[in-house]
Amino acid sequence: MENTEPDLELIYLFLKEPFPDELLGKMRSVLAMYGYSLLVTRNLTSSQISDMAVPADRSHGLALIVQDIQPCFGEKYGDRINLNIFKAVKGIVRKFKEYDFFVVTPRSLSEHKLSLDWLKLPDRISLQKLAKENIDSFTPPYPVILCISNENGRTRIDKVDFKGEQAVCKTFCATNLEGLQKEIEARRLLSDKIPEIAPILEYGENYMMLPYYEAAWRWDSDSLGLMPIKYAEKCLDIIRRIHAENWAVVDWHPGNFIFCHGSDVVLIDLEALLPQPERVPFEQSADILGYPNFPYQGKPTTYANTWQSVVGLPLPALLNSSATRKRFLRGFYFVTRSLPKWLTKRTEQALRKLYRHYVGVSQIKCQGRFLVYRF
Protein backbone atom coordinates (compact mmCIF):
# COMPACT_ATOMS: atom_id res chain seq x y z
CA MET A 1 0.00 0.00 0.00
CA GLU A 2 1.28 3.46 -0.89
CA ASN A 3 2.49 5.57 2.02
CA THR A 4 0.21 8.63 2.19
CA GLU A 5 1.70 10.21 5.31
CA PRO A 6 2.23 13.98 4.86
CA ASP A 7 5.87 15.03 4.69
CA LEU A 8 7.12 16.51 7.96
CA GLU A 9 10.46 18.27 8.22
CA LEU A 10 12.78 19.18 11.07
CA ILE A 11 14.88 22.22 11.86
CA TYR A 12 17.35 21.87 14.74
CA LEU A 13 18.37 25.02 16.60
CA PHE A 14 21.32 24.90 19.00
CA LEU A 15 21.80 27.72 21.50
CA LYS A 16 23.97 28.78 24.40
CA GLU A 17 20.86 29.47 26.52
CA PRO A 18 17.33 27.99 26.42
CA PHE A 19 15.02 29.52 23.83
CA PRO A 20 12.28 31.55 25.62
CA ASP A 21 8.85 29.92 25.48
CA GLU A 22 7.22 33.33 25.05
CA LEU A 23 8.92 33.71 21.66
CA LEU A 24 7.47 30.52 20.18
CA GLY A 25 4.51 32.53 18.86
CA LYS A 26 6.90 34.75 16.93
CA MET A 27 8.77 31.67 15.69
CA ARG A 28 5.48 30.25 14.42
CA SER A 29 4.71 33.49 12.58
CA VAL A 30 8.20 33.75 11.08
CA LEU A 31 7.99 30.21 9.72
CA ALA A 32 4.57 30.97 8.25
CA MET A 33 6.10 33.83 6.26
CA TYR A 34 8.11 31.18 4.38
CA GLY A 35 5.23 28.74 3.92
CA TYR A 36 5.75 26.53 6.98
CA SER A 37 3.40 25.56 9.80
CA LEU A 38 5.08 24.88 13.13
CA LEU A 39 3.37 21.75 14.44
CA VAL A 40 5.32 21.13 17.63
CA THR A 41 8.68 21.78 19.32
CA ARG A 42 10.86 19.45 21.36
CA ASN A 43 13.81 20.25 23.61
CA LEU A 44 16.72 17.92 22.86
CA THR A 45 18.41 15.96 25.62
CA SER A 46 22.13 16.31 26.29
CA SER A 47 22.78 12.90 24.72
CA GLN A 48 20.83 13.86 21.59
CA ILE A 49 22.81 17.08 21.33
CA SER A 50 26.10 15.20 21.63
CA ASP A 51 25.01 12.86 18.83
CA MET A 52 24.61 15.85 16.52
CA ALA A 53 28.26 16.96 16.82
CA VAL A 54 27.44 20.61 17.44
CA PRO A 55 29.91 23.18 18.82
CA ALA A 56 30.84 22.66 22.46
CA ASP A 57 29.41 26.03 23.55
CA ARG A 58 25.87 25.06 22.45
CA SER A 59 24.38 23.13 25.36
CA HIS A 60 20.71 23.66 24.48
CA GLY A 61 18.89 22.21 21.48
CA LEU A 62 15.39 22.79 20.11
CA ALA A 63 13.78 20.66 17.40
CA LEU A 64 11.10 22.33 15.27
CA ILE A 65 8.77 19.85 13.57
CA VAL A 66 7.31 21.75 10.61
CA GLN A 67 5.12 21.20 7.55
CA ASP A 68 5.04 22.95 4.18
CA ILE A 69 1.69 22.59 2.43
CA GLN A 70 3.09 24.02 -0.83
CA PRO A 71 6.56 22.38 -1.08
CA CYS A 72 9.02 23.01 -3.90
CA PHE A 73 10.84 19.70 -4.39
CA GLY A 74 14.21 19.51 -6.07
CA GLU A 75 17.60 17.82 -6.05
CA LYS A 76 20.23 19.34 -3.80
CA TYR A 77 23.47 17.83 -2.50
CA GLY A 78 22.57 14.63 -4.33
CA ASP A 79 19.21 14.10 -2.57
CA ARG A 80 15.56 15.09 -2.99
CA ILE A 81 14.60 17.91 -0.66
CA ASN A 82 12.06 20.67 -0.20
CA LEU A 83 13.99 23.71 -1.42
CA ASN A 84 11.80 26.07 0.63
CA ILE A 85 13.57 24.98 3.80
CA PHE A 86 16.63 27.05 2.85
CA LYS A 87 14.53 30.23 2.82
CA ALA A 88 12.87 29.29 6.11
CA VAL A 89 16.17 28.70 7.88
CA LYS A 90 17.63 31.94 6.57
CA GLY A 91 14.49 33.76 7.73
CA ILE A 92 14.78 32.30 11.23
CA VAL A 93 18.43 33.28 11.50
CA ARG A 94 17.67 36.82 10.31
CA LYS A 95 14.61 37.36 12.54
CA PHE A 96 16.29 35.93 15.65
CA LYS A 97 19.84 37.06 15.00
CA GLU A 98 20.38 37.97 18.65
CA TYR A 99 20.33 34.24 19.53
CA ASP A 100 23.14 33.28 17.14
CA PHE A 101 21.60 29.91 16.26
CA PHE A 102 23.70 26.99 15.09
CA VAL A 103 21.21 25.48 12.63
CA VAL A 104 21.09 21.92 11.28
CA THR A 105 18.52 20.13 9.10
CA PRO A 106 18.43 16.60 7.65
CA ARG A 107 19.87 16.56 4.14
CA SER A 108 16.93 14.87 2.37
CA LEU A 109 13.27 13.98 2.76
CA SER A 110 14.17 10.41 3.68
CA GLU A 111 16.55 11.70 6.36
CA HIS A 112 13.77 13.90 7.75
CA LYS A 113 11.69 10.76 8.28
CA LEU A 114 14.59 8.97 9.95
CA SER A 115 15.10 11.97 12.22
CA LEU A 116 11.46 11.83 13.30
CA ASP A 117 12.00 8.18 14.25
CA TRP A 118 15.19 9.14 16.10
CA LEU A 119 13.31 11.73 18.18
CA LYS A 120 10.85 9.01 19.30
CA LEU A 121 7.95 11.41 19.49
CA PRO A 122 5.15 10.05 21.69
CA ASP A 123 2.54 11.98 19.68
CA ARG A 124 3.68 10.97 16.19
CA ILE A 125 0.20 9.75 15.18
CA SER A 126 -1.50 12.95 16.35
CA LEU A 127 1.14 14.98 14.47
CA GLN A 128 0.39 13.14 11.26
CA LYS A 129 -3.32 13.71 11.84
CA LEU A 130 -2.74 17.45 12.33
CA ALA A 131 -0.60 17.58 9.18
CA LYS A 132 -3.37 15.86 7.21
CA GLU A 133 -5.93 18.33 8.61
CA ASN A 134 -3.67 21.18 7.49
CA ILE A 135 -3.73 19.89 3.91
CA ASP A 136 -7.47 19.18 3.92
CA SER A 137 -8.40 22.53 5.49
CA PHE A 138 -6.36 24.45 2.90
CA THR A 139 -8.90 23.59 0.18
CA PRO A 140 -11.47 26.33 -0.57
CA PRO A 141 -15.13 25.25 -0.22
CA TYR A 142 -16.17 26.84 -3.55
CA PRO A 143 -14.94 26.40 -7.15
CA VAL A 144 -11.71 28.33 -7.67
CA ILE A 145 -11.59 30.78 -10.59
CA LEU A 146 -8.11 32.10 -9.83
CA CYS A 147 -5.61 31.49 -7.03
CA ILE A 148 -4.55 34.96 -5.84
CA SER A 149 -2.04 33.81 -3.23
CA ASN A 150 -1.00 30.53 -1.61
CA GLU A 151 2.58 31.36 -0.69
CA ASN A 152 1.74 32.04 2.95
CA GLY A 153 1.77 29.00 5.23
CA ARG A 154 -1.11 30.41 7.28
CA THR A 155 -3.70 31.35 4.65
CA ARG A 156 -4.49 31.11 0.97
CA ILE A 157 -6.63 33.56 -1.03
CA ASP A 158 -8.67 32.63 -4.10
CA LYS A 159 -11.18 34.26 -6.40
CA VAL A 160 -14.08 31.79 -6.39
CA ASP A 161 -17.55 31.24 -7.81
CA PHE A 162 -19.73 32.02 -4.80
CA LYS A 163 -23.34 31.17 -5.56
CA GLY A 164 -23.03 32.45 -9.12
CA GLU A 165 -21.07 35.60 -8.22
CA GLN A 166 -17.36 36.32 -8.04
CA ALA A 167 -16.05 36.57 -4.48
CA VAL A 168 -12.83 36.12 -2.56
CA CYS A 169 -12.29 33.15 -0.28
CA LYS A 170 -9.67 33.38 2.46
CA THR A 171 -8.88 29.84 3.64
CA PHE A 172 -7.01 29.15 6.88
CA CYS A 173 -4.91 26.05 7.59
CA ALA A 174 -5.74 23.95 10.66
CA THR A 175 -2.86 25.41 12.67
CA ASN A 176 -4.09 28.99 12.08
CA LEU A 177 -7.79 28.77 12.93
CA GLU A 178 -7.18 31.24 15.74
CA GLY A 179 -6.33 33.78 13.05
CA LEU A 180 -9.71 33.13 11.40
CA GLN A 181 -11.57 33.79 14.65
CA LYS A 182 -9.60 37.00 15.23
CA GLU A 183 -10.42 38.23 11.74
CA ILE A 184 -14.13 37.44 12.08
CA GLU A 185 -14.31 39.24 15.41
CA ALA A 186 -12.39 42.25 14.05
CA ARG A 187 -14.82 42.67 11.15
CA ARG A 188 -17.81 42.29 13.47
CA LEU A 189 -16.44 45.13 15.56
CA LEU A 190 -15.55 47.54 12.77
CA SER A 191 -17.09 46.81 9.36
CA ASP A 192 -20.40 48.58 10.19
CA LYS A 193 -18.55 51.68 11.43
CA ILE A 194 -15.83 51.72 8.76
CA PRO A 195 -17.44 50.94 5.37
CA GLU A 196 -14.00 50.65 3.71
CA ILE A 197 -13.41 47.41 5.65
CA ALA A 198 -14.47 44.47 3.48
CA PRO A 199 -17.51 42.75 5.08
CA ILE A 200 -17.82 39.00 5.55
CA LEU A 201 -20.32 37.37 3.20
CA GLU A 202 -20.06 33.94 4.81
CA TYR A 203 -17.69 31.99 7.01
CA GLY A 204 -17.12 28.39 8.06
CA GLU A 205 -14.76 26.35 10.19
CA ASN A 206 -11.72 27.18 8.06
CA TYR A 207 -12.70 29.97 5.66
CA MET A 208 -14.43 33.29 5.19
CA MET A 209 -15.92 34.87 2.08
CA LEU A 210 -15.32 38.53 1.13
CA PRO A 211 -16.62 40.60 -1.79
CA TYR A 212 -14.43 40.73 -4.90
CA TYR A 213 -13.09 44.19 -5.69
CA GLU A 214 -11.56 45.13 -9.05
CA ALA A 215 -8.26 46.93 -8.49
CA ALA A 216 -7.50 50.03 -10.55
CA TRP A 217 -3.94 50.39 -9.20
CA ARG A 218 -1.69 47.75 -7.67
CA TRP A 219 1.07 48.31 -5.18
CA ASP A 220 4.34 46.65 -6.19
CA SER A 221 7.32 46.65 -3.85
CA ASP A 222 9.65 46.66 -6.90
CA SER A 223 7.89 49.57 -8.59
CA LEU A 224 9.81 52.72 -9.39
CA GLY A 225 6.79 55.02 -9.05
CA LEU A 226 5.20 56.37 -5.89
CA MET A 227 1.68 55.65 -4.64
CA PRO A 228 -0.92 58.14 -5.89
CA ILE A 229 -1.59 60.72 -3.17
CA LYS A 230 -5.36 60.13 -3.26
CA TYR A 231 -4.81 56.51 -2.22
CA ALA A 232 -2.26 57.36 0.45
CA GLU A 233 -4.61 59.93 1.99
CA LYS A 234 -7.52 57.47 1.97
CA CYS A 235 -5.44 54.70 3.61
CA LEU A 236 -4.38 57.07 6.35
CA ASP A 237 -7.97 58.24 6.84
CA ILE A 238 -9.13 54.63 7.28
CA ILE A 239 -6.47 53.97 9.89
CA ARG A 240 -7.32 57.24 11.66
CA ARG A 241 -10.99 56.27 11.96
CA ILE A 242 -10.07 52.81 13.27
CA HIS A 243 -7.85 54.57 15.81
CA ALA A 244 -10.84 56.69 16.85
CA GLU A 245 -12.58 53.41 17.76
CA ASN A 246 -9.62 52.59 20.06
CA TRP A 247 -8.10 49.89 17.85
CA ALA A 248 -4.77 49.48 16.03
CA VAL A 249 -4.52 47.56 12.75
CA VAL A 250 -0.79 46.93 13.46
CA ASP A 251 -0.12 45.19 10.10
CA TRP A 252 -1.24 47.94 7.70
CA HIS A 253 1.27 47.74 4.87
CA PRO A 254 0.13 48.69 1.32
CA GLY A 255 -0.37 45.04 0.34
CA ASN A 256 -3.31 44.82 2.75
CA PHE A 257 -5.36 47.36 0.79
CA ILE A 258 -7.17 47.18 -2.55
CA PHE A 259 -6.99 50.40 -4.57
CA CYS A 260 -10.18 50.72 -6.61
CA HIS A 261 -11.43 53.19 -9.23
CA GLY A 262 -11.70 56.82 -8.21
CA SER A 263 -10.18 57.20 -4.77
CA ASP A 264 -11.89 54.18 -3.19
CA VAL A 265 -9.70 52.00 -0.98
CA VAL A 266 -10.68 48.76 0.78
CA LEU A 267 -8.86 47.32 3.79
CA ILE A 268 -8.80 43.54 3.44
CA ASP A 269 -6.66 42.20 6.33
CA LEU A 270 -7.45 42.68 10.02
CA GLU A 271 -5.87 39.52 11.38
CA ALA A 272 -3.47 41.49 13.62
CA LEU A 273 -6.04 43.97 15.01
CA LEU A 274 -5.35 44.89 18.63
CA PRO A 275 -6.91 47.30 21.14
CA GLN A 276 -4.97 50.49 21.73
CA PRO A 277 -3.28 50.16 25.15
CA GLU A 278 -4.38 53.70 25.97
CA ARG A 279 -5.99 56.63 24.23
CA VAL A 280 -3.19 58.55 22.53
CA PRO A 281 -3.06 61.11 19.69
CA PHE A 282 -3.17 59.51 16.24
CA GLU A 283 0.37 60.69 15.42
CA GLN A 284 1.64 58.78 18.48
CA SER A 285 -0.47 55.65 17.99
CA ALA A 286 0.82 52.10 17.53
CA ASP A 287 0.02 52.21 13.81
CA ILE A 288 2.17 55.31 13.29
CA LEU A 289 5.06 54.65 15.71
CA GLY A 290 4.89 50.85 15.63
CA TYR A 291 3.69 48.04 17.87
CA PRO A 292 6.86 46.62 19.51
CA ASN A 293 5.63 43.03 19.94
CA PHE A 294 4.30 42.52 16.43
CA PRO A 295 5.37 38.93 15.61
CA TYR A 296 5.32 38.84 11.80
CA GLN A 297 8.37 41.01 11.19
CA GLY A 298 11.73 41.67 12.76
CA LYS A 299 10.84 45.32 13.35
CA PRO A 300 7.48 47.02 14.01
CA THR A 301 5.43 48.35 11.10
CA THR A 302 5.56 52.15 11.28
CA TYR A 303 4.66 54.94 8.91
CA ALA A 304 8.34 55.89 8.60
CA ASN A 305 9.68 52.43 7.67
CA THR A 306 6.68 51.10 5.72
CA TRP A 307 4.80 53.98 4.07
CA GLN A 308 7.13 56.95 3.68
CA SER A 309 9.18 55.34 0.90
CA VAL A 310 5.95 54.30 -0.89
CA VAL A 311 4.21 57.66 -0.57
CA GLY A 312 7.28 59.88 -0.82
CA LEU A 313 6.12 62.13 2.03
CA PRO A 314 6.81 62.28 5.76
CA LEU A 315 3.67 62.01 7.90
CA PRO A 316 3.34 65.75 8.79
CA ALA A 317 3.48 66.66 5.10
CA LEU A 318 0.86 64.07 4.14
CA LEU A 319 -1.43 65.30 6.91
CA ASN A 320 -1.00 69.06 6.66
CA SER A 321 0.73 70.26 3.48
CA SER A 322 -1.05 71.79 0.49
CA ALA A 323 -1.45 69.83 -2.73
CA THR A 324 1.23 71.95 -4.43
CA ARG A 325 3.74 71.41 -1.64
CA LYS A 326 3.01 67.65 -1.62
CA ARG A 327 3.78 67.43 -5.34
CA PHE A 328 7.03 69.36 -4.85
CA LEU A 329 8.15 67.20 -1.90
CA ARG A 330 7.30 63.98 -3.76
CA GLY A 331 9.29 65.10 -6.79
CA PHE A 332 12.27 65.91 -4.59
CA TYR A 333 11.92 62.57 -2.79
CA PHE A 334 11.75 60.69 -6.09
CA VAL A 335 14.95 62.24 -7.46
CA THR A 336 16.99 62.07 -4.25
CA ARG A 337 15.71 58.87 -2.61
CA SER A 338 13.33 56.72 -4.62
CA LEU A 339 15.23 56.64 -7.92
CA PRO A 340 18.70 55.98 -6.39
CA LYS A 341 17.24 53.26 -4.16
CA TRP A 342 15.52 51.59 -7.14
CA LEU A 343 18.72 51.68 -9.22
CA THR A 344 20.75 50.26 -6.33
CA LYS A 345 18.25 47.46 -5.85
CA ARG A 346 18.28 46.54 -9.52
CA THR A 347 22.10 46.50 -9.53
CA GLU A 348 22.15 44.23 -6.48
CA GLN A 349 19.65 41.86 -8.11
CA ALA A 350 21.81 41.62 -11.25
CA LEU A 351 24.96 40.95 -9.23
CA ARG A 352 23.20 38.44 -6.99
CA LYS A 353 22.63 36.14 -9.95
CA LEU A 354 26.39 35.98 -10.51
CA TYR A 355 27.38 34.93 -6.98
CA ARG A 356 24.23 33.15 -5.77
CA HIS A 357 25.71 29.70 -6.36
CA TYR A 358 28.95 30.59 -4.58
CA VAL A 359 27.12 32.06 -1.59
CA GLY A 360 24.83 29.03 -1.34
CA VAL A 361 27.73 26.62 -1.34
CA SER A 362 29.70 28.62 1.21
CA GLN A 363 26.80 29.10 3.62
CA ILE A 364 25.33 25.58 3.59
CA LYS A 365 27.63 22.65 4.17
CA CYS A 366 26.75 18.99 3.88
CA GLN A 367 28.10 16.95 6.79
CA GLY A 368 27.03 13.32 6.65
CA ARG A 369 23.26 13.06 7.09
CA PHE A 370 22.84 16.76 7.88
CA LEU A 371 23.03 20.20 6.34
CA VAL A 372 24.74 22.84 8.49
CA TYR A 373 23.85 26.51 7.98
CA ARG A 374 26.02 29.52 8.74
CA PHE A 375 24.12 32.50 7.32
Side-chain angles (χ1 to χ4, degrees), residues 348 350-360:
E348 289 177 351
L351 292 175
R352 191 179 298 123
K353 294 179 180 179
L354 299 177
Y355 65 72
R356 180 178 294 164
H357 176 71
Y358 169 75
V359 171

Side-chain angles (χ1 to χ4, degrees), residues 20 24 27 29 97 117 177:
L24 288 177
M27 179 67 74
S29 298
K97 57 185 176 183
D117 295 335
L177 296 182

Side-chain angles (χ1 to χ4, degrees), residues 204-363:
E205 292 184 355
N206 67 318
Y207 74 94
M208 66 179 187
M209 303 296 305
L210 304 173
Y212 175 73
Y213 301 92
E214 193 69 43
W217 180 83
R218 297 183 185 277
W219 172 75
D220 183 354
S221 59
D222 290 329
S223 174
L224 175 59
L226 299 174
M227 175 186 289
I229 290 180
K230 62 180 181 180
Y231 289 140
E233 291 174 334
K234 192 59 181 287
C235 289
L236 199 66
D237 179 60
I238 294 170
I239 299 303
R240 187 205 294 270
R241 281 182 283 146
I242 292 174
H243 169 77
E245 299 293 334
N246 298 322
W247 293 93
V249 178
V250 183
D251 184 24
W252 66 295
H253 61 80
N256 280 343
F257 292 86
I258 296 178
F259 305 96
C260 306
H261 295 278
S263 60
D264 292 338
V265 175
V266 180
L267 176 59
I268 58 173
D269 193 338
L270 287 170
E271 195 175 331
L273 187 76
L274 291 172
Q276 288 277 1
E278 59 185 47
R279 189 61 184 268
V280 296
F282 178 63
E283 292 82 354
Q284 299 174 19
S285 66
D287 280 329
I288 299 301
L289 300 183
Y291 183 77
N293 297 319
F294 182 47
Y296 300 108
Q297 298 176 0
K299 59 183 179 181
T301 299
T302 70
Y303 179 86
N305 68 26
T306 304
W307 284 85
Q308 187 164 321
S309 61
V310 177
V311 179
L313 292 170
L315 182 64
L318 181 60
L319 289 174
N320 305 315
S321 294
S322 66
T324 300
R325 179 168 172 76
K326 286 177 183 177
R327 286 194 294 269
F328 170 77
L329 291 174
R330 277 163 56 93
F332 182 78
Y333 187 92
F334 178 83
V335 172
T336 61
R337 298 284 300 277
S338 185
L339 180 59
K341 183 178 178 180
W342 184 84
L343 291 173
T344 300
K345 185 175 182 179
R346 284 291 183 269
T347 302
E348 289 177 351
Q349 289 174 341
L351 292 175
R352 191 179 298 123
K353 294 179 180 179
L354 299 177
Y355 65 72
R356 180 178 294 164
H357 176 71
Y358 169 75
V359 171
V361 170
S362 65
Q363 292 181 332

Side-chain angles (χ1 to χ4, degrees), residues 28 37-42 63-66 121 123 127 130:
R28 189 181 306 276
S37 295
L38 176 59
L39 302 184
V40 72
T41 63
R42 286 291 181 270
L64 310 178
I65 295 89
V66 298
L121 298 171
D123 51 357
L127 275 180
L130 177 58

